[in-house]
């Protein structure tokens, strides 16, 4: 049993809060004053501490540098109209972190450790939670192997950390995406369902090629046939076809998105027909050609809901109706924002008040 009451706190001598301009927050570039750390040694998590945000020292033989033994999560904290701080669905992130941990031979991070560390860190850096519209505090928990060992085996020692950064909108305009039919992100039996660092590293080169063609992101397809849509680089995908909300089911190759689950839950409660099934590329393309693809958007913590403006497939590009005229995704986004900022009652138990 971990005594999370023993979290040691070392406060920074000089806050950098004056660097925060809520009207102009670059995503993922300005970090809050403090960070949390704990070390896994001899089979247990020890030395729980919050320190000033700073660089860390690791061995050149660090196992993670060579073998990518690392997992992470992403969640957000918001400031409500009363000035209180609300974190959206942190327990779900704690659970998903441990699903990733099991796949990557990383020890479980107990939920009480995750939640207590998160709470104490956000309390200490509460001034970093912005209040301007469309802003939040992005929270990045992660775990990595710390063995000093060049050899392929599970690490025996680990570090669990949490860092935070104030953020504005991840995407400032609708994204243009390309359906990828050559490169693969994940295969059944692989690590596609885990938030493992190597998954994202492997996606960078195909994404760069797409960006050179004028696209912002890829729509990944199944690794075996490339006939079915899976997810995008940073988001799960949702399509509105003939008024029905359609998305691929989460699986061994698709991350079980927390925002995705929230979107589907709200849509079902409103009586919108929700269809979770393998989505054929052919079906999406035919719906786009016929004008039946009314909305397409990515859902994820960073972007929340990111409208898709154009979809590229082979030598064709399909332009979707202007997001200004969309109804379903905009309505769901407004609902999520209202719940996360306390403007509307949370009937799902999704919000956690710090």
């Amino acid at each position: 049993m971990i005594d999370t009451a023993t979290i040691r706190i070392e406060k920074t001598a000089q806050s950098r809060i004056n660097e925060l301009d809520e009207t102009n927050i670059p995503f993922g570039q300005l970090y809050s004053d403090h960070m949390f750390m704990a070390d896994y040694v001899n089979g247990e998590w020890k030395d729980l501490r919050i320190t000033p945000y700073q660089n860390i020292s690791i061995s050149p033989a660090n196992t993670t540098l060579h073998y990518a033994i690392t997992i992470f999560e992403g969640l957000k904290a918001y400031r409500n109209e009363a000035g209180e701080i609300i974190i959206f669905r942190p327990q779900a992130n704690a659970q998903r972190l441990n699903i990733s941990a099991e796949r990557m031979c990383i020890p479980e991070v107990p939920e009480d450790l995750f939640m207590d560390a998160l709470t104490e860190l956000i309390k200490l850096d509460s001034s970093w939670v912005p209040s301007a519209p469309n802003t939040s505090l992005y929270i990045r928990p992660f775990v990595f192997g710390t063995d000093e060992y060049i050899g392929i085996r599970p690490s025996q020692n680990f570090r669990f950390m949490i860092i935070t950064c104030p953020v504005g909108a991840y995407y400032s305009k609708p994204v243009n995406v390309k359906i990828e039919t050559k490169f693969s992100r994940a295969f059944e039996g692989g690590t596609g369902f885990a938030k493992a660092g190597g998954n994202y590293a492997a996606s960078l080169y195909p994404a760069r090629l797409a960006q050179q063609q004028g696209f912002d992101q890829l729509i990944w397809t199944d690794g075996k046939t490339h006939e079915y849509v899976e997810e995008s680089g940073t988001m799960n995908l949702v399509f509105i076809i003939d008024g029905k909300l359609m998305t691929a089911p989460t699986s061994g190759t698709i991350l079980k998105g927390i925002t995705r689950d929230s979107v589907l839950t709200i849509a079902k409660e409103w009586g919108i027909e929700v269809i979770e099934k393998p989505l054929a590329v052919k079906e999406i393309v035919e719906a786009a050609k016929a004008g039946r693809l009314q909305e397409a958007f990515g859902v994820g913590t960073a972007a929340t809901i990111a409208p898709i403006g154009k979809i590229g497939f082979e030598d064709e590009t399909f332009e979707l109706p202007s997001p200004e005229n969309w109804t379903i995704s905009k309505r769901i986004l407004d609902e999520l924002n209202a719940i996360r900022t306390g403007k509307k009652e949370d009937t799902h138990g999704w919000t956690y008040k710090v």
Side-chain angles (χ1 to χ4, degrees):
M1 183 70 178
I2 298 170
D3 182 7
T4 55
T6 61
I7 296 176
R8 176 167 50 87
I9 298 178
E10 177 191 349
K11 294 184 180 180
T12 183
Q14 182 64 50
S15 174
R16 293 174 286 102
I17 192 63
N18 62 338
E19 298 177 23
L20 174 59
D21 176 4
E22 292 195 11
T23 64
N24 180 28
I25 308 178
F27 199 101
Q29 297 182 43
L30 175 63
Y31 294 91
S32 310
D33 284 328
H34 299 90
M35 61 186 188
F36 172 84
M37 290 190 288
D39 292 312
Y40 187 84
V41 181
N42 296 326
E44 61 179 313
W45 290 104
K46 301 178 180 179
D47 195 14
L48 283 56
R49 68 239 189 236
I50 292 175
T51 71
Y53 182 88
Q54 60 192 284
N55 291 341
I56 60 173
S57 176
I58 58 174
S59 163
N62 173 272
T63 190
T64 296
L65 292 179
H66 299 273
Y67 307 116
I69 305 174
T70 178
I71 58 174
F72 67 94
E73 275 298 322
L75 61 160
K76 285 180 176 179
Y78 302 84
R79 195 175 294 279
N80 67 14
E81 291 182 325
E84 300 167 315
I85 296 172
I86 294 175
I87 305 177
F88 189 71
R89 302 193 68 176
Q91 292 92 344
N93 288 97
Q95 293 164 10
R96 191 172 65 181
L97 182 74
N98 285 325
I99 291 172
S100 299
E102 181 180 18
R103 180 62 178 84
M104 300 300 294
C105 294
I106 292 174
E108 176 182 291
V109 176
E111 187 172 318
D112 62 340
L113 169 58
F114 183 99
M115 292 300 298
D116 287 356
L118 187 64
T119 300
E120 293 304 314
L121 181 62
I122 302 305
K123 280 183 179 178
L124 187 59
D125 280 343
S126 60
S127 60
W128 285 86
V129 182
S131 57
N134 300 315
T135 64
S136 58
L137 185 75
Y138 186 82
I139 303 166
R140 169 53 58 89
F142 57 105
V143 188
F144 60 96
T146 55
D147 282 8
E148 186 176 345
Y149 179 73
I150 299 296
I152 299 182
R153 62 159 171 76
S155 186
Q156 297 175 356
N157 302 282
F158 297 85
R159 178 164 290 176
F160 169 45
M161 296 185 65
I162 305 175
I163 58 176
T164 68
C165 57
V167 295
Y170 193 76
Y171 294 115
S172 58
K173 59 181 181 179
V175 294
N176 298 330
V177 297
K178 174 192 172 185
I179 297 175
E180 179 58 55
T181 56
K182 177 182 178 182
F183 295 97
S184 299
R185 175 190 174 273
F187 295 85
E188 288 293 342
T191 61
F193 67 92
K195 285 189 77 69
N199 292 345
Y200 297 83
S203 71
L204 295 177
Y205 177 68
R208 174 187 283 179
L209 296 181
Q211 288 160 7
Q212 291 171 353
Q213 298 173 9
F215 296 98
D216 303 300
Q217 284 281 348
L218 292 173
I219 291 181
W220 293 104
T221 52
D222 71 283
K224 186 175 182 179
T225 69
H226 296 296
E227 294 178 0
Y228 294 93
V229 167
E230 293 205 329
E231 62 180 52
S232 189
T234 58
M235 310 171 288
N236 294 116
L237 293 167
V238 176
F239 302 90
I240 307 297
I241 299 177
D242 299 329
K244 301 173 184 177
L245 189 154
M246 306 178 73
T247 188
T250 55
S251 66
T253 60
I254 300 176
L255 184 71
K256 191 173 183 180
I258 295 167
T259 304
R260 173 190 180 276
D261 178 73
S262 305
V263 167
L264 300 191
T265 297
I266 290 171
K268 290 173 183 176
E269 290 177 349
W270 287 350
I272 297 170
E273 186 174 354
V274 174
I275 300 174
E276 294 182 74
K277 69 166 189 174
L279 291 176
V281 171
K282 181 179 178 181
E283 182 177 1
I284 301 299
V285 169
E286 288 179 351
K289 286 181 177 179
R292 295 168 39 239
L293 179 56
Q294 299 157 296
E295 305 177 27
F297 50 95
V299 293
T301 296
T304 306
I305 288 181
I308 292 173
K310 295 179 182 178
I311 298 176
F313 177 64
E314 295 180 342
D315 296 326
E316 295 183 274
T317 300
F318 308 101
E319 189 162 352
L320 275 66
S322 171
E324 296 177 358
N325 301 320
W326 293 7
T327 55
I328 293 176
S329 58
K330 184 180 184 304
R331 186 182 169 204
I332 293 175
L333 177 60
D334 290 343
E335 180 78 1
L336 278 173
N337 285 337
I339 294 171
R340 294 183 307 191
T341 56
K343 294 179 182 178
K344 190 162 186 176
E345 181 185 0
D346 172 21
T347 60
H348 305 90
W350 286 344
T351 55
Y352 173 79
K353 190 178 294 184
V354 174

